[in-house]
């Protein structure tokens, strides 16, 4: 009790003699200080670089816990620990942590691509958003029975990197149909024509009875009109067609990120790396990688065309 009374008296004293805003600022700084995990080698923390890249948290037995990326690895890693006593998730991560590794990259695009690749390879326990999902499907528009209808195409059957006329990317048939229902509702499209709802021939769909369909199901709206409206509604979901004859590279600092048909082949630091990547098998199409690369190609001013293969492994310069 004497200790508690002394602390209480001190607390009352500083509030009586100090500015409230100053006290709030000091308290915030104290609370935000990093509390390093108890089982982590602190010398490893000192070696963290102030540069872009990916960092990897490991638990007992080398179990991957979490993978993140940042333009400043050191700053981002320390931010995890500064919040560990206020955030239940960060607290749990801190207690499980045993080792930290990192991969430095030349810039932000390299960090984004490396993060997505490593998360799918290592399946860390705390990365749920970017973890591998086996199924991937998209809509294709096909002419059937006099109507233009959306039909599901699966990545196991169609090369999404090379196929044209794909709309949306979904991890299940349920997700795809839910999205299509939303589009139909917003654009007064016929659920029967779209294949979402089964109706007897000549009978209106349920949406028509709610005045959310213009009558394509009963011939009141011409099939051509419905098809045109469907194309317009789906246009915003259309996947970009790969615009190059082969692989290209995005140069970032002294590295080249090699991509082919929306697939990330890897990052080259010399002509030998480049040769090996161009000779490698293109990986399976990945939704997260596609999203990153579609933005990267639009934003990048340093596109490298890789029509010619490097001629040797011994050069330090790139060929392309």
């Amino acid at each position: 009790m004497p200790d508690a009374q002394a602390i209480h008296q001190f607390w009352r004293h500083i509030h009586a003699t100090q500015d409230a805003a100053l006290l709030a600022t000091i308290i915030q700084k104290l609370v935000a200080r990093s509390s390093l995990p108890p089982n982590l080698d602190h010398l490893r923390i000192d070696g963290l670089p102030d540069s872009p890249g990916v960092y990897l948290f490991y638990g007992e037995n080398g179990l991957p816990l979490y993978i993140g990326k940042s333009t400043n690895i050191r700053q981002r890693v320390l931010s995890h620990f500064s919040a560990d006593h206020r955030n239940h998730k960060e607290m749990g991560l801190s207690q499980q942590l045993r080792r930290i590794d990192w991969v430095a990259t030349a810039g932000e695009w390299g960090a984004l691509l490396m993060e997505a690749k490593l998360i799918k390879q290592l399946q860390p326990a705390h990365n749920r958003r970017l973890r591998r999902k086996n199924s991937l499907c998209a809509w294709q528009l096909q002419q059937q029975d006099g109507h233009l209808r959306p039909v599901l195409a699966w990545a196991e059957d169609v090369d999404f990197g090379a196929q044209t006329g794909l709309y949306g990317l979904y991890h299940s048939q349920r997700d795809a149909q839910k999205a299509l229902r939303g589009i139909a509702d917003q654009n007064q499209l016929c659920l029967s024509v779209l294949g979402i709802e089964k109706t007897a021939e000549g009978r209106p769909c349920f949406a028509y009875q709610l005045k959310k369909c213009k009558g394509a199901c009963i011939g009141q709206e011409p099939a051509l009109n419905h098809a045109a409206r469907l194309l317009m509604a789906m246009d915003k979901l259309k996947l970009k067609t790969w615009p190059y004859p082969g692989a290209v590279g995005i140069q970032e600092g002294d590295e080249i990120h090699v991509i082919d048909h929306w697939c990330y082949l890897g990052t080259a630091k010399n002509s030998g790396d480049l040769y090996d990547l161009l000779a490698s098998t293109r990986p399976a199409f990945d939704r997260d990688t596609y999203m990153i690369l579609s933005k990267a190609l639009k934003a990048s001013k340093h596109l490298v065309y890789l029509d010619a293969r490097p001629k040797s492994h011994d050069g330090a310069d790139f060929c392309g």
Side-chain angles (χ1 to χ4, degrees):
M1 276 305 288
D3 289 345
Q5 289 175 345
I7 292 172
H8 182 248
Q9 291 172 13
F10 171 70
W11 185 251
R12 294 179 62 185
H13 174 73
I14 60 173
H15 274 276
T17 59
Q18 303 295 327
D19 180 68
L22 176 62
L23 281 175
T25 301
I26 293 173
I27 290 170
Q28 181 61 36
K29 287 181 179 179
L30 290 172
V31 168
R33 285 183 179 176
S34 295
S35 176
L36 296 182
N39 299 303
L40 191 65
D41 182 0
H42 292 190
L43 293 178
R44 192 67 174 162
I45 294 292
D46 294 338
L48 289 168
D50 296 310
S51 59
V54 175
Y55 57 93
L56 303 92
F57 289 174
Y58 292 92
E60 291 184 355
N61 303 319
L63 179 70
L65 298 174
Y66 182 80
I67 296 174
K69 54 90 179 57
S70 178
T71 54
N72 187 316
I73 295 175
R74 178 181 177 81
Q75 187 178 76
R76 181 68 187 97
V77 169
L78 291 177
S79 73
H80 281 281
F81 310 142
S82 67
D84 66 2
H85 51 287
R86 289 173 290 158
N87 183 296
H88 179 73
K89 180 180 176 181
E90 296 285 10
M91 174 79 78
L93 185 60
S94 177
Q95 291 174 342
Q96 297 175 61
L97 188 58
R98 297 294 185 273
R99 178 167 62 91
I100 296 178
D101 281 339
W102 62 85
V103 179
T105 63
E108 184 177 8
W109 292 119
L112 283 165
L113 290 166
M114 183 63 69
E115 179 196 35
K117 179 180 180 180
L118 289 176
I119 287 174
K120 288 173 176 62
Q121 283 181 352
L122 301 178
Q123 296 285 286
H126 290 263
N127 290 92
R128 291 192 176 93
R129 188 176 61 85
L130 291 179
R131 283 168 65 172
R132 184 191 303 276
K133 293 186 178 179
N134 294 326
S135 300
L136 192 65
C137 59
W139 291 111
Q140 281 185 310
L141 299 180
Q142 298 180 6
Q143 199 72 29
Q144 294 182 354
D145 301 325
H147 287 284
L148 188 66
R149 304 180 191 273
V151 178
L152 271 183
W154 294 87
E156 296 85 20
D157 305 319
V158 177
D159 183 355
F160 278 18
Q163 180 67 46
T164 60
L166 295 176
Y167 299 84
L169 286 171
Y170 311 98
H171 288 296
S172 70
Q173 180 176 350
R174 180 180 177 181
D175 290 345
Q177 289 186 337
K178 181 180 179 181
L180 188 60
R181 276 185 177 274
I183 291 171
D185 186 60
Q186 293 171 14
N187 296 275
Q188 292 185 289
L189 296 170
C190 178
L191 296 177
S192 178
V193 170
L194 295 181
I196 297 176
E197 180 184 311
K198 291 184 179 181
T199 57
E201 187 176 352
R203 302 277 300 186
C205 68
F206 185 66
Y208 178 79
Q209 300 175 49
L210 299 177
K211 298 184 178 180
K212 291 185 177 182
C213 165
K214 295 188 177 183
C217 45
I218 54 175
Q220 188 169 320
E221 180 184 25
L224 191 61
N225 288 17
H226 188 271
R229 294 196 303 109
L230 174 61
L231 280 168
M232 290 180 62
M234 297 288 284
D235 186 65
K236 62 183 178 181
L237 298 178
K238 190 172 184 179
L239 270 64
K240 298 177 183 177
T241 302
W242 182 248
Y244 308 104
V248 297
I250 298 175
Q251 186 153 10
E252 190 173 40
D254 59 352
E255 299 178 345
I256 290 184
H257 310 305
V258 184
I259 53 179
D260 187 12
H261 288 79
W262 304 116
C263 296
Y264 173 53
L265 303 187
T267 296
K269 296 185 178 181
N270 54 55
S271 59
D273 291 345
L274 189 57
Y275 181 92
D276 291 338
L277 290 174
L278 290 172
S280 65
T281 301
R282 178 155 51 93
F285 183 91
D286 174 70
R287 182 183 186 277
D288 300 308
T289 302
Y290 167 78
M291 299 298 290
I292 294 169
L293 291 176
S294 59
K295 293 178 181 178
L297 283 181
K298 186 176 180 180
S300 178
K301 299 178 181 178
H302 305 286
L303 193 65
V304 180
Y305 295 93
L306 305 173
D307 295 331
R309 296 289 193 265
K311 297 181 179 179
S312 68
H313 288 257
D314 53 4
D317 298 324
F318 289 109
C319 302

